[in-house]
Amino acid sequence: MMSESETETAAGIGDAAAERHKAKMAKRKAVQDAEVASKTIEKGLLLVHTGPGKGKSTAAFGLALRMLGHGHRVGVVQFVKGAWETGERRALGAFGDRVAWYSMGEGFTWETQDLRRDVAAAERAWEQVEALMADPTIALLVLDELNIALRYDYLALDRVVAALAGRRPDLHVVVTGRNAKPALTDVADLVTEFTLVRHPFAAGVKAQAGIEF
């Protein structure tokens, strides 16, 4: 039911304006319908979430939830964040074996301060990725902070790009993390740059449960 103000606004629109709007929207719908109908390819996508803005992993886990909603299985491999107790891990854990979750990192490089240890952790994580990519029951694979591992050369870029580009045709993969390598974005189907406009951390606000983790 419309409010009084909405009723007054609607009443203030003349018949001619309403008809022009209807005709305009009909034309727009025809264009949109034709555009949608022209897209006939269905395939597994490689998506890259990068940039300095917040929300890269959050968006990836949103895709995971969407895929679960369609009854598919999801795999998650975290390259840096390690065994953090996060809200998304708890929530997706409620789906049981429909989510294969592996936190393989040991923290950010400035925390470990051990190059060999970081490289070894990345290698173990990549082995898990290869196993999940070969699992035909996995529909979506989230490679959280893989871009960080590639940025610090913990993994061979050519090897990773070749494997992702050669994934099975029906597998969707989303890669997150700042500073995505051009070699990776060049083979991706979708690349989103998350731009930083404002962040509460700059105002002294600490990371909070439900927002950052």
Side-chain angles (χ1 to χ4, degrees), residues 36-208:
V36 171
S38 71
K39 313 305 181 188
T40 59
I41 299 172
E42 185 170 339
K43 54 170 283 188
L45 301 177
L46 175 58
L47 306 91
V48 176
H49 295 177
T50 191
K54 173 177 166 52
K56 297 178 285 294
S57 295
T58 304
F61 292 126
L63 288 175
L65 183 61
R66 180 175 289 167
M67 191 64 74
L68 288 164
H70 285 283
H72 299 296
R73 288 193 74 219
V74 171
V76 178
V77 178
Q78 292 188 299
F79 278 81
V80 175
K81 293 172 182 173
W84 286 10
E85 189 61 36
T86 61
E88 58 267 26
R89 186 174 186 177
R90 290 179 180 177
L92 294 180
F95 287 89
D97 63 4
R98 290 180 58 201
V99 177
W101 188 295
Y102 299 89
S103 294
M104 309 291 288
E106 297 192 28
F108 291 98
T109 186
W110 57 83
E111 294 174 337
T112 63
Q113 301 176 19
D114 187 330
L115 179 59
R116 291 188 181 90
R117 178 175 161 185
D118 291 337
V119 170
E123 285 289 347
R124 289 193 298 271
W126 185 252
E127 289 175 4
Q128 188 59 64
V129 171
E130 291 178 324
L132 290 171
M133 288 179 69
D135 184 343
T137 70
I138 298 293
L140 172 71
L141 187 53
V142 178
L143 306 184
D144 193 31
E145 305 290 4
L146 172 58
N147 285 334
I148 303 301
L150 294 175
R151 176 188 180 187
Y152 288 109
D153 298 319
Y154 296 162
L155 295 169
L157 177 62
D158 291 348
R159 170 191 172 196
V160 169
V161 171
L164 294 177
R167 69 196 181 281
R168 68 176 195 272
D170 61 340
L171 177 63
H172 300 288
V173 178
V174 54
V175 177
T176 75
R178 298 185 180 208
N179 303 112
K181 295 283 190 177
L184 177 61
T185 58
D186 284 347
V187 299
D189 298 284
L190 183 150
V191 180
T192 302
E193 182 85 13
F194 287 68
T195 302
L196 176 63
V197 176
R198 181 180 297 111
H199 198 295
F201 188 75
V205 181
K206 69 178 184 179
Q208 300 178 82

